[in-house]
Each structure stands twice: as C-alpha cells, then as structure tokens.
C-alpha cells in the first residue's frame, strides 16, 4: 500500500506481488589490523554456541587486499540482529571469531553493517516463494504492462531469482 499505481496494476500483478515474500540475509564486514586466519581460505564456516548466528564468513584479504571478513546472518537470526546497535553487533561477531580462532590478538579497524529488512527502500534482502505460494508469480511480474511499465529486479526474473546477477539480467532484458 505504500506505492500506488493509477490506473491500478490489475489483479494478476497485485496477486503476484503478494505471492512473494522477503527474506533477510545481512552482512557485517569487519576490517582488522591483521589477518589472523589462513590467508588462502575463501570461506570460513563456524559452528558456535548458536549455529544460526555468525556461521559463515568470507575472507576479503585476497579480493580487496585488506584484512577483512564478511560475516553473514539469515532469517530470524538476521531479523533479531537488526535490532542490535552497531557496537553490540560488532562485539558479538568478534566474540564468535575469538572463540573460533582461539585468539584475541586482533583489533577491529573499521566496520560496515547492512540491515536490509530495516531499509525502507529494500525491506529485505531477496524475494522467495513462501510455503503455499506459487512459482508463476515471477513469470507474471516479468511481463510488461501494455509495453509501458517494465518491472526489473531479482524478484521479477524467472531464471536467477533472489540473486544480484538475476536482478542485473532482468534490467538488461
């Protein structure tokens, strides 16, 4: 109801938009004073005290040339962590890393935190077909309206939904 079309989109488009749900996949990127993990790793998986929080990290040292890790949280854990202050979120991620690597010999230099669900323009990280939903919703949304309105984005693609490359390709199409 925050966006209105005049004339209205029509039942098929309205149904299709409502047939999809939004999921949350947030990341926190911490830059450190040094690399304290194996520099050759491309993914780090952690089984901590809570296996639904801070379970995957992507080292950015090779890609960006800086000692940084991107930590991911999804679903209910990400929704909960969006309510944390930056300081609380960083402290929790650091505690998980200290336990996983059995070290406290690093310092956080910088942090970048995304909260996709709280972002009023995104309202989530990716679309998905919920239980009881219908996969034809994406097909309907990928069709133009009277060759005047063309939707684009990860929710509107039928080939690579819920991905950046799917959103990009739908824009090209």
């Amino acid at each position: 109801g925050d966006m209105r079309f005049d004339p209205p989109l029509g039942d098929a488009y309205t149904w299709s938009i409502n047939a999809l749900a939004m999921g949350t996949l947030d990341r926190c990127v911490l830059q450190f004073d040094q690399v304290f993990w194996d520099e050759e790793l491309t993914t780090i998986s952690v089984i901590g005290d809570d296996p639904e929080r801070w379970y995957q990290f992507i080292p950015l040292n090779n890609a960006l040339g800086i000692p940084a890790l991107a930590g991911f949280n999804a679903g209910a854990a990400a929704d909960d962590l969006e309510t944390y202050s930056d300081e609380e979120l960083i402290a929790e991620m650091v505690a998980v890393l200290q336990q996983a690597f059995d070290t406290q010999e690093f310092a956080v230099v910088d942090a970048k935190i995304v909260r996709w669900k709280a972002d009023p323009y995104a309202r989530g990280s990716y679309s998905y077909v919920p239980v009881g939903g219908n996969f034809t919703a994406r097909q309907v949304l990928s069709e133009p309206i009277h060759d005047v309105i063309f939707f684009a984005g990860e929710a509107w693609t039928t080939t690579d939904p819920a991905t950046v490359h799917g959103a990009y390709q739908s824009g090209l199409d």
Side-chain angles (χ1 to χ4, degrees):
D2 290 339
M3 288 185 62
R4 289 178 179 73
F5 289 85
D6 188 13
L9 288 177
D11 291 344
Y13 287 91
T14 302
W15 171 86
S16 296
I17 290 169
N18 292 325
L20 298 174
M22 289 296 286
T24 310
L25 177 64
D26 285 346
R27 77 184 56 75
C28 176
V29 178
L30 298 185
Q31 181 179 348
F32 302 96
D33 60 342
Q34 63 180 321
V35 172
F36 55 88
W37 57 90
D38 180 340
E39 292 192 36
E40 300 305 313
L41 294 176
T42 58
T43 304
I44 300 168
S45 296
V46 173
I47 301 174
D49 294 337
D50 184 345
E52 294 183 11
R53 294 165 85 111
W54 305 111
Y55 56 86
Q56 184 180 52
F57 300 90
I58 304 296
L60 302 175
N61 49 294
N62 290 325
L64 301 180
I66 59 172
L69 291 172
F72 294 87
N73 288 287
D79 292 345
D80 181 48
L81 288 167
E82 284 203 6
T83 67
Y84 282 39
S85 70
D86 288 357
E87 294 76 19
E88 292 170 322
L89 198 123
I90 291 167
E92 186 172 299
M93 181 174 163
V94 165
V96 168
L97 292 169
Q98 287 173 333
Q99 182 180 6
F101 289 95
D102 194 29
T103 184
Q104 295 185 2
E105 308 250 343
F106 59 82
V108 176
V109 175
D110 197 8
K112 301 293 182 215
I113 299 167
V114 295
R115 292 178 178 88
W116 288 112
K117 189 171 185 176
D119 182 318
Y121 299 106
R123 300 182 187 178
S125 307
Y126 60 92
S127 65
Y128 67 94
V129 178
V131 174
N134 193 310
F135 285 94
T136 61
R138 294 185 197 282
Q139 179 62 44
V140 171
L141 294 170
S142 70
E143 299 296 326
I145 300 173
H146 305 298
D147 286 329
V148 176
I149 297 175
F150 297 83
F151 289 109
E154 61 79 25
W156 319 131
T157 180
T158 57
T159 55
D160 293 300
T163 66
V164 171
H165 57 280
Y168 178 77
Q169 186 60 50
S170 78
L172 293 177
D173 291 347

